[in-house]
Amino acid sequence: MIVGVPKEIKNNESRVGMTPAGVFELVKNNHTVYVQSGAGKGSGFFNQDYQQAGATILDTIGQVYAMSDMIVKVKEPIAEEYDLIQKGQIIFTYFHFASSEALTKAMIASKSICIAYETVEDEEGTLPLLTPMSEVAGRMAIQQGAKYLEKPVKGRGVLLGGVPGVAPGRVLVLGAGTVGIQAAKMAAGLGAHVTILDINMKRLRYVNDVMPSHVVTEFSSEFNIRKHIQTHDLIIGGVLLKGAKAPNLITRDMLKEMRPGTVIVDVAVDQGGCVETTKATTHEDPIYIIDDVVHYCVANMPGAVPYTSTVALTNVTLPYVLKLANAGWRSACNLDKSLAKGLNIVDGEVVYEEITEAFNWESVLA
């Protein structure tokens, strides 16, 4: 199979879909790999690194798409890429279709094979290709939140860890999944007081077992959320419904109950956000303020630490890339049920029900 690795062109996205180590494995399996010139530069991988691993360097993104059977990316294609995608071409990347009807319609029109990292699901029900980026984003959420709590950027002026004689900052984490647990771990490490909410008691028991005593668990309800937003300095949105739009746990009217300078970091922004006032921002212009509440809603948070993120991502995607390349998508998905769950759009038809539900379309799966 001919595998193409284009340069990411989304704003401030420095990750790349494959490392030279991944290229080496594909070439060893008798596949051809085309890498766009400069694709890995932002992650610390240069053209000569890819060439030494056996890749051929192409000058333009158009050449990579035109000459490849499968495209391996990080982020969803943006408008400039829509016309480059060919009928029957495999696109293996993060899509988050439920948050973008325009992207979904464009991929339907392309009649490509869209396999989404975020819906590949293993036998335990976990999402192995989403987990490493959720780990990065969860940890980064606290770094960014701590920064935007500073007064010069309109935050409350609170140091999360406090100092002797001054109480530490208070962090509210919505969701005890991968993002939530990593955020709680980082916040606890800084010395903050952490409250983590979830509707899954099994997850809350796990958090209670592994976290220090200043990480407190509570069952998630609108009543409890409204209570805690009044007293917490930093709020982390880490809610995920597999392949579907995130629920709005914090509504517009709740902002008025928060103290001025409270910071919200909505990690769920890729799936529409779990805060009603969430709108996607970029690393270039990461925050906006509504009702004196600072919103940080960068849709590709791990893109700010591209070396860590690229290596973490490709560690888990490469085995699936090899399966797709070795067997073709049909056979690979027949043989691997977890990979089959990654199929979202095939030959112009939506085959992942949560997408049709997100846009209230009539399901073709019935």
Side-chain angles (χ1 to χ4, degrees):
M1 186 177 281
I2 301 172
V3 180
V5 182
K7 188 178 191 301
E8 298 293 326
I9 54 177
K10 190 166 185 170
N11 180 285
N12 272 281
E13 181 53 74
S14 300
R15 289 173 291 179
V16 63
M18 195 178 298
T19 62
V23 170
F24 182 87
E25 289 298 322
L26 281 166
V27 172
K28 193 171 79 176
N29 280 264
N30 298 316
H31 302 295
T32 300
V33 184
Y34 292 132
V35 177
Q36 185 183 348
S37 182
K41 187 178 178 183
S43 296
F45 303 114
F46 300 96
N47 288 351
Q48 61 266 34
D49 300 325
Y50 287 106
Q51 286 172 318
Q52 285 168 6
T56 300
I57 303 297
L58 298 179
D59 290 332
T60 69
I61 193 169
Q63 290 173 311
V64 174
Y65 274 95
M67 297 171 68
S68 302
D69 304 314
M70 173 165 63
I71 296 293
V72 179
K73 282 174 48 62
V74 179
K75 293 300 289 182
E76 74 282 352
I78 63 173
E80 295 95 297
E81 294 172 89
Y82 293 168
D83 291 339
L84 300 176
I85 297 169
Q86 304 170 72
K87 182 179 179 181
Q89 192 171 47
I90 302 166
I91 311 293
F92 195 31
T93 189
Y94 288 117
F95 277 106
H96 300 289
F97 281 121
S99 64
S100 175
E101 192 169 356
L103 170 67
T104 306
K105 286 180 173 176
M107 293 305 100
I108 289 170
S110 74
K111 295 196 180 305
S112 59
I113 314 301
C114 299
I115 306 177
Y117 292 160
E118 72 275 8
T119 64
V120 171
E121 185 179 334
D122 64 20
E123 291 167 0
E124 288 84 45
T126 60
L127 307 172
L129 307 190
L130 190 61
T131 297
M133 292 306 95
S134 297
E135 289 168 339
V136 172
R139 292 181 177 212
M140 276 191 68
I142 299 302
Q143 279 185 202
Q144 299 301 325
K147 180 169 73 180
Y148 287 103
L149 274 171
E150 294 171 7
K151 202 66 181 175
V153 281
K154 310 297 185 190
R156 286 201 67 232
V158 170
L159 182 66
L160 276 186
V163 292
V166 182
R170 298 172 69 86
V171 179
L172 176 63
V173 181
L174 303 178
T178 303
V179 167
I181 286 175
Q182 295 301 323
K185 184 187 291 186
M186 290 291 278
L190 286 173
H193 179 281
V194 183
T195 305
I196 186 163
L197 306 183
D198 203 298
I199 56 173
N200 184 335
M201 286 305 300
K202 193 174 177 183
R203 296 300 294 171
L204 292 180
R205 288 190 181 99
Y206 172 74
V207 172
N208 199 59
D209 284 344
V210 301
M211 292 289 178
S213 58
H214 58 292
V215 177
V216 179
T217 60
E218 279 195 37
F219 191 80
S220 183
S221 65
E222 183 179 339
F223 182 87
N224 280 341
I225 292 171
R226 285 185 180 273
K227 175 181 71 174
H228 287 302
I229 60 175
Q230 298 173 35
T231 58
H232 283 66
D233 306 298
L234 172 59
I235 299 167
I236 307 296
V239 179
L240 173 71
L241 299 180
K242 292 171 189 172
K245 196 173 185 305
N248 281 155
L249 299 183
I250 294 179
T251 54
R252 172 69 190 256
D253 66 290
M254 291 185 187
L255 300 187
K256 290 187 165 53
E257 298 175 33
M258 300 177 192
R259 293 174 294 187
T262 297
V263 175
I264 295 173
V265 178
D266 195 348
V267 184
V269 61
D270 270 337
Q271 294 290 99
C274 60
V275 179
E276 187 179 357
T277 46
T278 287
K279 60 173 191 273
T281 61
T282 65
H283 291 294
E284 214 167 57
D285 189 15
I287 64 164
Y288 56 93
I289 298 171
I290 298 176
D291 292 341
D292 294 323
V293 173
V294 180
H295 293 60
Y296 178 96
C297 305
V298 174
N300 60 327
M301 284 175 64
V305 285
Y307 176 77
T308 300
S309 298
T310 293
V311 175
L313 177 61
T314 55
N315 283 344
V316 293
T317 56
L318 182 60
Y320 292 99
V321 172
L322 283 166
K323 287 177 182 179
L324 288 165
N326 288 339
W329 72 269
R330 286 184 195 277
S331 296
C333 290
N334 283 334
L335 293 167
D336 188 331
K337 297 306 175 197
S338 62
L339 181 58
K341 290 188 176 180
L343 286 170
N344 279 212
I345 297 173
V346 175
D347 293 329
E349 286 197 11
V350 175
V351 296
Y352 197 80
E353 195 164 358
E354 283 82 350
I355 299 171
T356 59
E357 289 172 0
F359 306 125
N360 295 316
W361 293 350
E362 196 170 313
S363 176
V364 297
L365 306 177

